[in-house]
Amino acid sequence: MSLAPSAKEGKFGSGELPAENIPAEESKRLVTLYLAQISRLAIDEIKRSGFTEDEIRWCLTVPAIWGDYEKQLMREAAVGAGLPDDPKRLLLAYEPEVAAHYARISGARTAQMTGKRATLMSPGSRFLVADCGGGTVDITAYRAVSGNQLEEIGRECGGKFGSEYVNQAFVERVLVPRFGSYTAFEEIRAQQPTAVLGLIDKWEEAKLHFSTEYGEEIFIPIPVPIDRCLDDEARASLAKIQNGVTEEIVVTPEEARQVFEEVVPGVLSLIDKQLAEMRSQRRNASGKELVVLVGGFGNSPYLRDRLQQHLDGRAELIVPPDPQVAVLFGAAYYACSPQIRSRRARLTYGCDVAMPFRPGIDPEEYKLEGPDHTYCQHRFDTFVRIGEVVKVGEWVTRTHFPIWPDHDKFTLDVYSSQGKYPMYVKQDGCKKIGSLLVDLSSVMHLDIRRRGVFVSMQFGETEIQVSAVLKESGKTVEATLSFEPLT
């Protein structure tokens, strides 16, 4: 199962920007309700095909720019909706990543290239995936390796440059001036919300055909309910801007270009940023980078034209068939065969620990007198550094001991940093992202020096995994990692 935005009827956007600043728990509640409904429908359909519910593997897709807290909320919402609480049966996958699977399996190739055409399956080929949807643009980059597998080679990036922001620009640059003012437009929208959505849907249909070479005016009929709301001032404004036409919205080619240009430069800038990162990783590899355009916004001829012009021989553009379903179909392929061999650490991750105090180096205010040693609190014990290649299934292990003999559990606060070599968790750029609780109740009868715990984390998957094993006995102890929202 994949949650793919705007994947119907070839459209790229619904005409309304998603609500922002919704409290996390409210968002989680709404997603839980949605997933409960759609999962029931899916289960009923699958059962009619002769499969049982236990045979289903679910795949939920998330933006690559999401943090650990947002991914945790998505999994909690899915489990709350009745999906299996089993990471092997409930997968979370990055949207550009699954779109890459779809593009490769679809056999997509560069449309314009002299000589041998580049493919995404060729070992050594380097490509970025630009998932341009309704709300956001999400970009990651990969290198094809033997065995049809992929290695992540770029740094994920993204922003709010989806097609809904083109719609917002259409409202602000086209509709508001024609109806007289923003206040007048909002009054019309309050009175006739369905009709306004219908009007924007017509713009949706029209912009699917608009390209950089399109030279004709776009005519969008004004729905009757909206026409009835227009006062003399609004009609006068329409007539003045449109040379007397008041029955339709008339968008000139230049106005349409200005609407798109409110958004498209942001997309191009993100792609340039990713290409620069890819080239820094190129070493002596030959050939050009490939740019794979997917998502509903990828159906826009204008976006394709501008991207093709912008790349101008620096990279080759690939648009797979039906780019609006790339995430949806790719999620199904991913669930069957993930094909990701390694990823790059998105941040530097570590824990807040106490280490032996170093006079003249460590701050005096961090000094802690323990029962047997003098410690420095708030040291950043690094598990993985930003940009490092981390293989799927690879664990990074550190050994930790309790300081105080009467503690039957200890908490490790997990921190992230955009710096590569943080020394203390209190440094600028370090943020607490969660806590790891390790239960020591089963080893309290042992001497404190024998209560060491191997704490292991895995960073190569979509979600960070954690485990804790007693050093003395090899017994796995309970360890739960709970992420917190970044402020």
Side-chain angles (χ1 to χ4, degrees), residues 186-417:
E186 285 301 313
E187 289 177 354
I188 293 171
R189 177 146 57 181
Q191 295 177 42
Q192 299 294 340
T194 302
V196 170
L197 283 175
L199 180 63
I200 297 177
D201 277 345
K202 291 298 182 182
W203 159 251
E204 287 275 359
E205 296 173 8
K207 74 181 183 183
L208 276 171
H209 305 288
F210 185 77
S211 68
T212 56
E213 299 179 354
Y214 195 89
E216 299 179 5
E217 295 178 324
I218 299 172
F219 295 91
I220 305 174
I222 297 176
V224 172
I226 293 179
D227 183 73
R228 291 172 179 166
C229 291
L230 300 180
D231 56 21
D232 292 341
E233 183 178 348
R235 292 186 191 280
S237 181
L238 268 173
K240 180 179 179 181
I241 293 175
Q242 302 187 161
N243 296 321
V245 178
T246 59
E247 297 82 16
E248 298 173 300
I249 300 296
V250 183
V251 186
T252 67
E254 180 58 29
E255 284 180 310
R257 275 188 284 272
Q258 290 174 358
V259 166
F260 274 94
E261 288 303 313
E262 288 284 320
V263 176
V264 171
V267 179
L268 303 182
S269 177
L270 288 175
I271 290 174
D272 283 345
K273 178 181 178 181
Q274 189 67 266
L275 283 174
E277 178 69 21
M278 293 171 68
R279 284 166 185 152
S280 72
Q281 305 290 326
R282 181 193 287 183
R283 298 190 180 95
N284 297 321
S286 60
K288 293 180 180 179
E289 284 77 19
L290 308 175
V291 175
V292 182
L293 181 62
V294 298
F297 198 9
N299 271 321
S300 166
Y302 188 90
L303 177 59
R304 295 187 192 185
D305 290 350
R306 285 284 280 115
L307 183 52
Q308 187 75 61
Q309 296 165 6
H310 184 73
L311 294 174
D312 190 27
R314 296 181 296 134
E316 300 292 339
L317 177 63
I318 295 178
V319 183
D322 299 320
Q324 75 276 7
V325 298
V327 171
L328 184 67
F329 290 178
Y333 293 128
Y334 178 91
C336 295
S337 178
Q339 296 182 355
I340 298 295
R341 189 169 78 177
S342 65
R343 295 183 174 90
R344 295 182 70 196
R346 299 177 175 230
L347 296 166
T348 296
Y349 289 96
C351 292
D352 180 355
V353 301
M355 295 183 180
F357 188 82
R358 300 169 299 177
I361 298 176
D362 294 324
E364 286 292 324
E365 61 266 29
Y366 293 170
K367 183 183 287 188
L368 171 68
E369 294 294 342
D372 53 356
H373 292 289
T374 301
Y375 295 94
C376 174
Q377 303 178 86
H378 308 310
R379 285 291 302 275
F380 196 114
D381 185 25
T382 301
F383 276 68
V384 67
R385 301 190 189 281
I386 187 170
E388 283 186 352
V389 174
V390 285
K391 294 182 179 180
V392 171
E394 181 179 62
W395 291 88
V396 181
T397 302
R398 298 287 182 269
T399 305
H400 295 282
F401 293 84
I403 293 178
W404 307 103
D406 59 339
H407 283 184
D408 60 359
K409 63 175 67 71
F410 64 83
T411 299
L412 289 172
D413 290 334
V414 181
Y415 280 75
S416 69
S417 173

Side-chain angles (χ1 to χ4, degrees), residues 15-17 163-186 189 196-197 199-201 203 207 220 249 251 255 259 262:
E16 280 291 325
L17 284 172
S163 65
E164 294 292 0
Y165 293 91
V166 177
N167 293 346
Q168 184 181 48
F170 170 71
V171 169
E172 294 174 352
R173 281 186 166 269
V174 177
L175 296 185
V176 168
R178 281 160 173 76
F179 291 146
S181 67
Y182 187 80
T183 300
F185 174 75
E186 285 301 313
R189 177 146 57 181
V196 170
L197 283 175
L199 180 63
I200 297 177
D201 277 345
W203 159 251
K207 74 181 183 183
I220 305 174
I249 300 296
V251 186
E255 284 180 310
V259 166
E262 288 284 320

Side-chain angles (χ1 to χ4, degrees), residues 144-165:
V145 294
S146 59
N148 288 335
Q149 292 188 314
L150 296 175
E151 292 180 342
E152 187 177 26
I153 59 174
R155 293 276 302 280
E156 85 290 342
C157 61
K160 296 180 180 180
F161 300 110
S163 65
E164 294 292 0
Y165 293 91

